[in-house]
Amino acid sequence: MDTIRITEADFKVQQEYDWLCENNSVDGAVVFFVGRVRDFSKNEKVLAIFLEHYPQMTERSLQEIITNARQRWQLGKVAVVHRVGRILAAEQIVFVGVTSQHRENAFSAANFIMDFLKTQAPFWKKEITPEGEHWVEAKASDQDKARHWR
Amino acid sequence: MADVKIRFFARLRDQLGVSDMALLMSDVANTEEIIPHLLQTHPHWQKFFDAPLLMAVNQQLVNEPTELVAGDEVALFPPVTGG
């Protein structure tokens, strides 16, 4: 069972964790990752970010990433929650949670989903600093991480 | 002839100053023809199209030239930076 949510509102990790565990007594492993807004980037203070996305494609792209993860590993539930809009420094951006019978599959799948989310899902970050706003450049290292799964 | 919808996102949209356009099927039968066609009417966009860009057809990333049909939605955008 998958849940994919794109939301302007913040999420509660406990609620997402509870959903992963609900009606699920077969999975012994739950792995989750939370991405947050750092207050520094390239020696510049970051006050907030603005996250734009491409509605319809975002959900489709995340579903495809989850489907690919399910083809590689035996997984129970998968939850991906990604915020959009204005997000302040230190706030949460993304939640990826995976359950499986054993931890190796859950760790690997959570990592895989994040690597592809960062390189395939149509989200774009703009950093808001005291000096102004600028779009964030994609990192080659993120491309490399996604490529190593192929 | 029916239209193909072109959408631009994030930095590219800000640079071009436009979020979407409608093109004629007779002008763009394949994704390869889109940028050359746009440059005919907007030659100053060249520098923005020189940067790395991704393309999606009907909300799916495409890496190869793709035939278009009436009603398709093509999106052009910079490499993604979510997560």
Side-chain angles (χ1 to χ4, degrees):
Chain A
M1 199 190 293
D2 303 330
T3 185
I4 295 171
R5 274 199 342 270
I6 311 300
T7 167
E8 286 193 20
D10 198 6
F11 54 84
K12 288 202 165 57
V13 168
Q14 184 68 51
Q15 264 173 22
E16 306 308 328
Y17 175 76
D18 288 346
W19 180 81
L20 289 165
C21 297
E22 199 176 271
N23 302 320
N24 181 357
S25 50
V26 293
D27 291 330
V30 181
V31 167
F32 66 79
F33 169 83
V34 176
R36 301 169 70 228
V37 181
R38 283 174 301 175
D39 68 355
F40 263 86
S41 166
K42 292 184 180 164
N43 301 321
E44 207 178 10
K45 189 169 174 58
V46 174
L47 304 172
I49 61 168
F50 183 84
L51 249 159
E52 177 176 336
H53 78 124
Y54 178 2
Q56 295 100 46
M57 179 171 170
T58 316
E59 291 81 353
R60 184 178 286 200
S61 159
L62 293 172
Q63 186 59 65
E64 195 177 309
I65 294 167
I66 295 172
T67 301
N68 289 340
R70 286 189 178 284
Q71 281 165 3
R72 282 178 172 246
W73 298 284
Q74 180 279 317
L75 304 175
K77 289 186 176 185
V78 178
V80 176
V81 182
H82 204 298
R83 290 179 65 194
V84 292
R86 192 182 168 94
I87 310 174
L88 299 176
E91 286 188 0
Q92 305 176 132
I93 306 171
V94 59
F95 178 95
V96 169
V98 177
T99 74
S100 189
Q101 289 177 14
H102 304 288
R103 70 181 185 281
E104 289 83 0
N105 285 350
F107 271 119
S108 297
N111 207 12
F112 175 96
I113 291 168
M114 270 312 297
D115 283 348
F116 282 94
L117 183 155
K118 286 186 89 79
T119 52
Q120 310 245 299
F123 293 103
W124 302 274
K125 277 193 196 105
K126 192 193 264 184
E127 285 178 346
I128 300 163
T129 74
E131 287 75 42
E133 305 179 351
H134 56 85
W135 291 102
V136 172
E137 296 284 343
K139 290 195 210 109
S141 60
D142 285 335
Q143 294 292 336
D144 294 342
K145 283 178 201 152
R147 208 171 288 126
H148 104 274
W149 293 103
R150 292 182 197 281
Chain B
M1 289 278 266
D3 291 329
V4 172
K5 186 177 183 183
I6 313 287
R7 301 183 68 180
F8 307 107
F9 287 92
R11 182 200 327 234
L12 182 64
R13 177 205 51 233
D14 289 357
Q15 289 168 330
L16 306 183
V18 57
S19 60
D20 51 84
M21 299 175 80
L23 300 182
L24 294 173
M25 276 303 295
S26 51
D27 290 328
V28 290
N30 190 293
T31 52
E32 275 186 315
E33 295 166 9
I34 291 174
I35 288 178
H37 178 75
L38 294 174
L39 287 173
Q40 281 175 20
T41 44
H42 304 81
H44 59 292
W45 284 0
Q46 180 73 58
K47 58 180 178 291
F48 306 128
F49 292 142
D50 285 343
L53 292 176
L54 301 179
M55 186 181 276
V57 176
N58 298 329
Q59 295 92 40
Q60 293 267 19
L61 282 178
V62 293
N63 300 309
E64 303 293 328
T66 303
E67 296 288 326
L68 296 171
V69 297
D72 278 350
E73 177 173 294
V74 179
L76 275 164
F77 44 78
V80 301
T81 55

